[in-house]
């Protein structure tokens, strides 16, 4: 397997947020200095190093004034509607400290590696140090540098030289200093702030390093420090050590910043979940309940749907010849546990009276009631752990059966409370209690799966049968207190088989990500004590089990973060298609507490992490915010802010304290928001984004109950002739082509750019000041000996960039995906006065020109688009693949005319639509189209909502494909969504031309009445 990477807009935004803070900085290659310094003595008699101007390359100094830097930071913050900094937040390490907040699992490592390349391309900086708090994170970063090397080489046409700092391999540091290309050093904090002899070598004059101190050679490069998880590096010893690196700047990347500096980018838990950049979380909790008057042991594992009535999977005790044994069996209505247990007295009166698949409970004739996840009777600590391990294995198999055919390997991760519980060296086979329980439960569950598996699923059956139970689980621990072997084994010593196993586990789990993701590697279950709780991640962790007591030092959010990254398949492709991302990417957490308790605590942690978000939607909040309109950024005036505020108050979308009320989010989800005032309507999309940025408890990511998802079975409606005919007419795959007219595009772009391209000139600030009285030498050195007496802002007629060579055509061709010839034709035809703006601010000119060209390109693409059908069709598996894990508690059902028993709807509009479809006399059969049914468009794949077949003779159009929307206003259907619908119209027009007999009509409707008027006319 080879992991693949692609350019994603949200990651590009994170990179640009950093790089744009230095807009106006000259593009200078590394400044030379002497690698082998001599000793000099300053006026105070202090010794220091004399770095000359030869042999080495260091980062060029920042040429921008503090005022220019702060203005750039303000611009970056304003376009994201982040709080604007009062000033540059400096500390002992650096004057420039930038915070980049990125939720765990969204690729912050990728982002800062790309930032390294972009900083080099734009400004020439080439010396970077990535500082990490642990070995696991260090190995992950080093692996990321390796696997992204080819990807970035294709984009930037150069490679970075990278290495992990090792005080005994200082030749890497020599090259780091002397090489003029991009150089990246990865170092963990223990290498410079621990008390150990080897770790302190960084501060010692070393004979094997020409009597130099490594820290002096490092600091001479004026490196850019990138701190990964900086909240773990805030101890005084670490901060003092970072100061010795003499960084040019410090970039801090984390999902949970503890100390705020200049925050320039935010992609928090809400953003990541709403943009579908991370997995959806489901929790399978275990609740111990006492049933009055009984000591009967019962554990309700789950409620399952079946072709007849629901069944309950229950663990209970059975009297056997060898003694009493606990077994798990399926119970149906009227089953008698006293009889099934072979006469155990504690089960007298336990006759199943009701099983409810919608609310997940079972009730007995004696009044006892259990919800899924409830355990009662003799429930010990060992019982809970065994249940958790069993549930993890069960959840693993459920996901594996669904994802194996899609080429996705499922991994499960256990967090344990004690190493000896898994690896016990006092035992001959070294298996601890958890390892033994795991193997017992795994064998039983695997055998059940093989027995129930359909015979046609031979490939998965063979895969499962060939995996040996003792090879499918493994462990990595930061340290084994008995042998000290597992921290970072270096090599396999001859005759030491145990150490060899440890090395293999270390390499597999921390380094060989591709191998671990391959079906050829049998390891699917990983046990860890604490080493993998932060920093380490693997995209295919789908199940996590907390085999431990709750700890205050490690948050649920940190642990859950190890499984949030979106999965990849055997080809290394990321499973991030918007239509199916949260059907494939669901993380199941097996907790040792009830679902309600775990979710409540997890959401509180998420809520606390969102404390930096604004809490009030008042006039002050909206005033000055930036709306990204088609004509460019628009600042919200105080008058507009008052209008927005009055709109929210009038519709009860805010509470008395100006916080956002749940009714707002409910209305938005149901597509029933009240229309904005006429003057605000053109900016509706951006205004609602501003409202959504205000924190509300009702916005927190929905954490599902992992026991709720069930199989939604296809029923007899699926096999009706009417549906077969409908499906035959729409299941053709197609390709699109665009009859692109370059001359028309050039003419349109020239016209728009002449009229709308406006570039803001760069400005600089002149300050005058006088030296104060009694100024010390130290104050002068720190720039604090002057008092400002006058400030004047001037605009430059030509930018400092005018001395920098820019490939303007190349940059625009890259940003617009047009040929250099087409871009050159556009630039040569625009007005000279427009083109001359490039000299005033090259970056702004490129950004605005790219935006305007892309808008014109999109318009022409839609106008000139046409479809051709292929011989490929969608298989009926597209229906069953999407129905294996649906939460039916909020679904509409049981239905008469739908192809499934239940319909999971997305809004109130859809729920009402379903109810009317199902009761309509004209409708024969209908289906909510599965997420895998996609129409290709130039702006992304499109998944229509409904396919409906009507009674012949009742309407003009028997076959109809519908999209349901709460409003047909062009203000509600904007941008990409509107363009996808336009493409779908053309697709179905072309499709109807390929079929004989009844055509398929496609349109957008708001309700059933509107649908009927369309099919009748």
């Amino acid at each position: 397997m080879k992991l693949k990477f692609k350019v994603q807009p949200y990651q590009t935004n994170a990179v640009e947020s950093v790089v744009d803070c230095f807009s106006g900085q000259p593009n200078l290659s590394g400044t030379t200095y002497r690698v082998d310094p001599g000793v000099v003595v300053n006026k105070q008699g202090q010794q220091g190093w004399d770095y000359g101007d030869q042999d080495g390359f260091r980062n060029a100094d920042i040429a921008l004034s503090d005022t220019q830097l702060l203005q750039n930071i303000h611009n970056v913050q304003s376009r994201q509607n982040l709080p604007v900094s009062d000033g540059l937040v400096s500390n002992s390490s650096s004057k420039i400290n930038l915070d980049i907040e990125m939720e765990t699992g969204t690729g912050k490592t990728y982002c800062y590696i790309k930032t390294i390349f972009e900083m080099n391309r734009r400004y020439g900086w080439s010396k970077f140090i990535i500082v990490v708090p642990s070995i696991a994170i260090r190995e992950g970063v080093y692996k990321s540098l390796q696997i992204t090397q080819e990807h970035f080489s294709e984009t930037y046409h150069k490679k970075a030289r990278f290495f992990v700092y090792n005080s005994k391999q200082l030749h890497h540091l020599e090259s780091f200093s002397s090489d003029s290309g991009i150089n990246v050093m990865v170092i963990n904090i223990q290498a410079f702030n621990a008390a150990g002899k080897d770790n302190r070598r960084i501060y010692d004059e070393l004979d094997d390093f020409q009597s130099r101190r490594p820290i002096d050679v490092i600091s001479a490069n004026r490196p850019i420090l990138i701190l990964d998880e900086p909240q773990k590096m805030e101890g005084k010893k670490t901060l003092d050590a970072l100061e010795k690196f003499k960084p040019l700047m410090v970039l801090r990347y984390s999902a949970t910043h503890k100390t705020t500096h200049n925050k320039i980018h935010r992609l928090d838990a809400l953003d990541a979940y709403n943009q579908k950049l991370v997995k959806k979380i489901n929790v399978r909790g275990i609740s111990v309940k006492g049933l009055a008057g009984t000591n009967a042991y019962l554990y309700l594992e789950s409620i399952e749907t079946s072709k007849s009535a629901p069944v309950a999977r229950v663990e209970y005790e059975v009297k056997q010849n060898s003694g009493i044994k606990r077994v798990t069996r399926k119970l149906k209505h009227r089953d008698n546990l006293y009889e099934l247990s072979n006469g155990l007295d504690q089960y007298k009166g336990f006759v199943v009276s009701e099983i409810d698949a919608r609310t997940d409970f079972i009730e007995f004739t004696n009044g006892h009631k259990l919800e899924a996840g409830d355990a009662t009777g003799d429930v010990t600590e060992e019982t809970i752990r065994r249940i958790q391990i069993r549930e993890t294995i069960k959840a693993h198999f459920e996901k594996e059966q669904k994802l194996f055919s899609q080429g996705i390997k499922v991994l499960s991760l256990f967090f344990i409370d004690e190493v000896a519980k898994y690896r016990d060296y006092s035992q001959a086979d070294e298996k601890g209690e958890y390892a033994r329980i795991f193997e017992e439960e795994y064998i039983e569950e695997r055998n059940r799966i093989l027995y129930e598996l359909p015979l046609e699923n031979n490939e998965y059956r063979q895969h499962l049968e060939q995996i040996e139970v003792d090879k499918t689980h493994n462990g990595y621990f930061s340290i084994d207190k008995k042998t000290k072997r597992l921290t970072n084994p270096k090599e396999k010593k001859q005759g030491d088989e145990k150490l060899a196993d440890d090395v293999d586990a270390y390499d597999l789990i921390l380094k060989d990500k591709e191998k671990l993701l391959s079906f050829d590697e049998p390891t699917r279950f990983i046990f860890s004590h604490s080493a993998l709780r932060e920093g380490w991640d693997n995209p295919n962790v789908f199940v996590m089990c907390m085999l431990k007591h709750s700890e205050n030092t490690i948050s649920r959010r940190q642990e859950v973060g190890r499984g949030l990254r979106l999965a990849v398949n055997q080809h290394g492709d990321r499973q991030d298609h918007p239509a199916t991302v949260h059907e494939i990417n669901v993380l199941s957490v097996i907790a040792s507490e009830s679902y309600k308790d775990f979710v409540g605590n997890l959401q509180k942690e998420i809520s606390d992490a969102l404390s930096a978000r604004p809490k009030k939607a008042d006039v002050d909040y909206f005033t000055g915010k930036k709306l990204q309109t088609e004509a460019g950024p628009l600042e919200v005036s105080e008058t507009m802010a008052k209008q927005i505020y009055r709109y929210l108050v009038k519709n009860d979308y805010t509470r008395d304290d100006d916080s956002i009320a749940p009714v707002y989010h409910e209305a938005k989800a149901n597509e029933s928001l009240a229309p904005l005032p006429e003057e605000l309507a053109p900016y509706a999309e951006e205004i609602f984004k501003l409202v959504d940025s205000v924190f509300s408890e009702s916005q927190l990511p929905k954490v599902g109950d992992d026991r709720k998802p069930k199989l939604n079975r296809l029923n007899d409606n699926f096999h009706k002739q009417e549906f077969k005919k409908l499906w035959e007419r729409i299941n053709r795959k197609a390709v699109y082509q665009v009859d692109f007219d370059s001359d028309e595009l050039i003419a349109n772009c020239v016209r728009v750019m002449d009229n709308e391209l406006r570039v803001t000139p760069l400005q600089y600030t002149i300050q005058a000041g006088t030296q104060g009285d009694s100024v010390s030498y130290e104050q002068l050195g720190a720039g604090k000996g002057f008092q400002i007496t006058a400030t004047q802002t001037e605009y430059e007629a030509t930018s400092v960039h005018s001395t920098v060579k820019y490939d303007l055509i190349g940059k625009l061709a890259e940003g617009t995906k047009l040929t250099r010839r087409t871009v050159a034709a556009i630039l040569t035809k625009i007005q000279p006065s427009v083109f001359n703006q490039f000299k005033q601010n090259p970056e702004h000119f490129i950004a605005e020109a790219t935006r305007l060209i892309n808008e014109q390109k999109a318009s022409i693409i839609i106008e000139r688009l046409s479809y051709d059908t292929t011989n490929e069709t969608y298989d009926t598996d597209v229906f069953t693949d999407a129905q294996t894990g649906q939460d039916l508690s909020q679904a509409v059902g049981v239905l008469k005319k739908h192809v499934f028993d239940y319909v999971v709807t997305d809004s109130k509009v859809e729920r009402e639509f379903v109810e009317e479809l199902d009761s309509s006399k004209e409708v024969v059969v209908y289906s909510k189209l599965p997420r895998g049914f996609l129409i290709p468009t130039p702006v992304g794949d499109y998944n229509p909502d409904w396919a409906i077949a009507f009674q012949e003779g009742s309407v003009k159009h028997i076959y109809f494909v519908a999209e349901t929307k709460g409003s047909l206003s062009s203000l509600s259907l904007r941008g990409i969504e509107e363009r996808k619908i336009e493409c779908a119209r053309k697709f179905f027009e072309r499709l109807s031309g390929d079929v004989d007999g009844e055509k398929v009509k496609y349109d957008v409707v708001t309700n059933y009445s509107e649908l009927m008027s369309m099919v009748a006319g």
Side-chain angles (χ1 to χ4, degrees), residues 728-730 732 990-1000:
E728 286 171 1
R729 283 165 169 75
I730 67 173
R732 295 280 297 278
R990 179 69 179 87
L991 205 62
S992 292
D994 283 351
V995 296
D996 297 326
E998 294 294 338
K999 309 300 184 185
V1000 177

Side-chain angles (χ1 to χ4, degrees), residues 143 506-517:
K143 183 65 178 179
Y506 177 86
D507 287 343
L508 175 67
I509 295 170
L510 284 191
K511 294 183 176 182
D512 297 337
K513 184 178 288 189
E514 296 94 333
K515 181 180 179 182
L516 186 57
L517 289 171

Side-chain angles (χ1 to χ4, degrees), residues 733-737 865-870 872 936 987 990:
K733 294 186 178 181
V735 294
Y736 64 82
Q737 62 181 8
L865 178 74
S866 64
Y867 281 94
D868 288 313
T869 55
T870 69
E872 290 186 77
F987 170 81
R990 179 69 179 87

Side-chain angles (χ1 to χ4, degrees), residues 305-310 355-358 710-717 888-904 914-919 926:
T305 58
S306 68
K307 290 185 178 180
S308 53
I355 301 174
D356 193 318
R358 298 284 290 276
K710 296 176 176 65
L711 178 64
N712 189 10
R713 299 174 188 275
L714 286 167
N715 56 37
D716 291 340
N717 290 323
L888 306 181
S889 59
Q890 300 299 319
V892 181
V894 175
L895 301 165
K896 300 174 184 176
K897 299 180 180 181
H898 191 250
V899 297
F900 294 97
D901 289 339
Y902 299 88
V903 177
V904 178
V914 167
E915 290 167 359
E916 293 191 85
L917 281 178
D918 212 59
S919 60
Y926 67 98

Side-chain angles (χ1 to χ4, degrees), residues 765-822:
T765 302
I766 301 173
Q767 292 181 329
T770 58
Q771 182 177 328
D773 298 331
S774 304
V775 179
S776 68
Y777 182 82
E778 289 76 13
Q779 286 177 309
L780 281 174
K784 299 178 180 178
F786 290 84
Q787 294 179 343
I788 297 173
T789 58
T791 300
Q792 180 180 354
T793 300
E794 299 285 349
Y795 288 91
E796 293 193 6
T798 59
S799 164
V800 67
H801 280 288
S802 60
T803 62
V804 179
K805 292 183 178 180
Y806 265 86
D807 180 9
L808 174 58
I809 294 176
K811 292 285 286 184
L812 289 178
E814 178 186 349
T816 61
K817 302 297 185 290
L818 295 175
T819 65
R820 293 177 66 93
R821 177 177 302 202
T822 301

Side-chain angles (χ1 to χ4, degrees), residues 320-444:
Q320 299 179 342
N321 292 334
S322 59
I324 295 176
K325 181 182 179 182
R326 289 180 177 177
V327 298
T328 302
R329 299 286 186 267
K330 290 182 180 179
L331 301 183
K332 61 183 183 300
H333 185 248
R334 303 307 301 171
D335 275 349
N336 188 326
L337 281 183
Y338 177 69
E339 295 174 357
L340 293 173
S341 66
N342 294 326
L344 289 178
D345 289 340
Q346 62 264 37
Y347 292 116
K348 285 182 178 179
F350 280 88
V351 178
V352 179
S353 61
E354 186 177 359
I355 301 174
D356 193 318
R358 298 284 290 276
T359 55
D360 273 353
F361 77 84
I362 184 173
E363 189 168 4
F364 301 93
T365 52
N366 59 7
H368 290 310
K369 180 177 177 180
L370 292 175
E371 295 181 358
D374 286 350
T376 187
D378 184 17
V379 183
T380 64
E381 175 81 10
E382 181 183 352
T383 300
I384 293 294
R385 300 308 178 208
R386 182 176 285 273
I387 289 174
Q388 284 184 271
I389 292 172
R390 182 192 307 148
E391 291 287 4
T392 302
I393 296 168
K394 185 173 183 290
H396 180 102
F397 277 124
E398 288 172 359
K399 295 176 184 295
E400 198 168 63
Q401 289 182 78
K402 173 184 175 182
L403 299 176
F404 179 81
S405 63
Q406 300 177 48
I408 301 170
K409 183 177 178 179
V410 174
L411 297 176
S412 294
L413 175 62
F414 292 89
F415 285 127
I416 66 176
D417 48 6
E418 188 180 343
V419 173
K421 292 282 186 69
Y422 175 72
R423 186 166 293 171
D424 186 352
Y425 292 105
S426 67
Q427 302 296 317
D429 59 4
E430 296 189 355
K431 291 175 183 175
E433 174 190 351
Y434 292 160
R436 295 183 187 281
I437 293 175
F438 171 84
E439 293 191 359
E440 292 169 7
E441 295 292 339
Y442 177 87
I443 291 171
E444 185 167 338

Side-chain angles (χ1 to χ4, degrees), residues 153-431:
S153 177
E154 290 173 355
T155 304
Y156 293 94
H157 309 296
K158 61 174 65 176
K159 291 185 177 181
R161 179 185 171 275
F162 52 88
F163 67 100
V164 173
Y165 174 80
N166 186 328
S167 63
K168 294 182 180 179
Q169 297 178 357
L170 294 175
H171 61 282
H172 290 304
L173 183 54
E174 202 80 73
S175 300
F176 177 82
S177 299
S178 61
D179 185 67
S180 61
I182 301 175
N183 283 264
V184 182
M185 180 169 77
V186 185
I187 187 170
N188 48 296
I189 57 176
Q190 294 83 2
F192 58 80
N193 75 347
K197 181 180 178 182
D198 288 341
N199 294 331
R200 303 297 297 178
R201 279 170 56 90
I202 195 169
Y203 302 117
D204 294 339
E205 294 182 17
L206 304 175
D207 292 338
D208 56 353
F209 200 50
Q210 302 173 33
S211 297
R212 294 171 298 171
R213 300 194 314 163
I215 188 63
D216 291 320
V217 175
I218 292 171
S219 63
N221 291 278
R222 294 304 311 280
I224 294 174
L225 290 191
I226 296 173
L227 307 190
D228 193 329
E229 306 292 353
Q231 72 277 9
K232 300 293 181 183
M233 309 179 202
E234 296 195 358
K236 186 178 186 304
K237 184 184 292 186
T238 302
L239 293 177
D240 289 345
L242 289 175
E243 184 179 356
K244 295 181 175 65
F245 284 81
K246 298 181 181 178
L248 187 68
M249 69 186 75
V250 180
L251 310 179
R252 303 165 187 268
Y253 288 79
S254 177
T256 53
H257 288 278
K258 185 184 294 183
T259 303
T260 301
H261 302 84
N262 295 109
K263 182 179 285 189
I264 56 164
H265 188 75
R266 182 184 71 199
L267 181 67
D268 60 24
L270 284 186
D271 296 325
Y273 181 81
N274 291 333
Q275 295 176 39
K276 298 182 178 180
L277 306 177
V278 293
K279 286 193 182 88
K280 181 181 178 181
I281 303 172
N282 280 353
V283 174
R284 192 173 297 199
I286 299 170
S287 179
V288 179
K289 287 190 174 181
L291 294 182
T294 181
N295 62 349
Y297 172 75
L298 291 170
Y299 171 60
L300 177 55
E301 186 178 287
S302 61
I303 305 293
E304 298 177 359
T305 58
S306 68
K307 290 185 178 180
S308 53
V311 295
R313 282 184 60 85
V314 178
E315 184 181 35
Y316 57 92
E317 294 178 337
V318 175
K319 184 166 60 177
Q320 299 179 342
N321 292 334
S322 59
I324 295 176
K325 181 182 179 182
R326 289 180 177 177
V327 298
T328 302
R329 299 286 186 267
K330 290 182 180 179
L331 301 183
K332 61 183 183 300
H333 185 248
R334 303 307 301 171
D335 275 349
N336 188 326
L337 281 183
Y338 177 69
E339 295 174 357
L340 293 173
S341 66
N342 294 326
L344 289 178
D345 289 340
Q346 62 264 37
Y347 292 116
K348 285 182 178 179
F350 280 88
V351 178
V352 179
S353 61
E354 186 177 359
I355 301 174
D356 193 318
R358 298 284 290 276
T359 55
D360 273 353
F361 77 84
I362 184 173
E363 189 168 4
F364 301 93
T365 52
N366 59 7
H368 290 310
K369 180 177 177 180
L370 292 175
E371 295 181 358
D374 286 350
T376 187
D378 184 17
V379 183
T380 64
E381 175 81 10
E382 181 183 352
T383 300
I384 293 294
R385 300 308 178 208
R386 182 176 285 273
I387 289 174
Q388 284 184 271
I389 292 172
R390 182 192 307 148
E391 291 287 4
T392 302
I393 296 168
K394 185 173 183 290
H396 180 102
F397 277 124
E398 288 172 359
K399 295 176 184 295
E400 198 168 63
Q401 289 182 78
K402 173 184 175 182
L403 299 176
F404 179 81
S405 63
Q406 300 177 48
I408 301 170
K409 183 177 178 179
V410 174
L411 297 176
S412 294
L413 175 62
F414 292 89
F415 285 127
I416 66 176
D417 48 6
E418 188 180 343
V419 173
K421 292 282 186 69
Y422 175 72
R423 186 166 293 171
D424 186 352
Y425 292 105
S426 67
Q427 302 296 317
D429 59 4
E430 296 189 355
K431 291 175 183 175

